[in-house]
Amino acid sequence: MTDELLVVRAQLGERAALAELLAQWRVPVWTYVRRMLDADRADDVTQEIWLAVVRGLPRLREPGRFAPWLFTIARRSVTDRLRGEYAREQETLAADDMATEDPVEAMVDRAALMNVLSELPVLEREILVLFYLEDLPVEECAYICRIPAGTVKSRLSRARRLLREHLKEKGYRP
């Protein structure tokens, strides 16, 4: 059954359609979030995403655009989590008067423990995940990120270049 039909049936109150829709998209959403965050945070954020989906589904006007709508919610949730954590880190640094360590260096140190993809800047990582790993076309990536298609293409180009550089630094030959 298509997503569009499942969405319409779920909007009409059919719980089985909602359950099927959630079952179909549970793994892709968690995978996207996991590629943006670590596993512990991914579980929490994924729960927030599904809560937002269930609450917002009745207001979805274009059932055929469920996937971009879903990933827009996922992107917003990931961004909100990252912003909140960054703000808390900044408050902690200011409160403890420990501004001697550069927060960017601390983030790079943590990123060194993750795989090559997680070392990329969030915007570039996000575009790579949506385009290559979620297999979404440029237009849907643009819709999800609320940027022009040309910006998606330029971010993809930059992300590929950065990825090549990171692989080269680690001794891999592109």
Side-chain angles (χ1 to χ4, degrees):
M1 192 173 309
T2 67
D3 289 342
E4 185 174 9
L5 182 57
L6 286 172
V7 168
V8 170
R9 288 175 54 194
Q11 287 176 326
L12 293 173
E14 189 176 318
R15 289 178 184 252
L18 178 61
E20 189 174 337
L21 195 61
L22 296 179
Q24 280 182 324
W25 285 97
R26 182 182 58 81
V27 172
V29 168
W30 188 87
T31 303
Y32 166 74
V33 174
R34 174 58 184 96
R35 288 174 174 146
M36 299 301 291
L37 304 169
D38 62 52
D40 292 335
R41 295 184 298 172
D43 289 338
D44 292 341
V45 171
T46 301
Q47 287 180 7
E48 295 169 12
I49 292 166
W50 288 117
L51 184 59
V53 167
V54 169
R55 287 180 178 164
L57 196 61
R59 294 184 305 278
L60 179 60
R61 294 179 191 196
E62 296 180 55
R65 303 222 7 110
F66 177 75
W69 177 76
L70 173 62
F71 279 101
T72 299
I73 291 172
R75 176 183 186 263
R76 191 177 311 121
S77 296
V78 167
T79 302
D80 289 349
R81 176 60 63 100
L82 291 172
R83 278 187 190 134
E85 290 174 0
Y86 179 76
R88 281 191 294 281
E89 285 178 18
Q90 293 305 310
E91 289 172 7
T92 302
L93 286 173
D96 294 343
D97 197 33
M98 295 177 61
T100 57
E101 183 178 311
D102 185 5
V104 174
E105 286 181 17
M107 289 173 67
V108 170
D109 290 342
R110 270 184 284 161
L113 302 174
M114 302 173 81
N115 61 29
V116 174
L117 182 61
S118 65
E119 292 177 359
L120 299 177
V122 173
L123 295 176
E124 285 75 14
R125 180 180 354 143
E126 174 182 53
I127 290 298
L128 283 176
V129 168
L130 289 172
F131 186 77
Y132 287 109
L133 303 177
E134 297 303 329
D135 203 27
L136 294 173
V138 169
E139 295 76 23
E140 289 192 9
C141 292
Y143 178 83
I144 291 166
C145 296
R146 296 179 184 215
I147 57 176
T151 304
V152 170
K153 292 175 186 177
S154 65
R155 283 189 189 168
L156 276 170
S157 175
R158 176 171 155 60
R160 286 192 285 271
R161 182 178 48 77
L162 289 172
L163 188 58
R164 274 192 301 274
E165 290 172 6
H166 282 290
L167 288 171
K168 196 173 185 178
E169 287 174 9
K170 294 193 178 291
Y172 296 102
R173 295 287 171 222

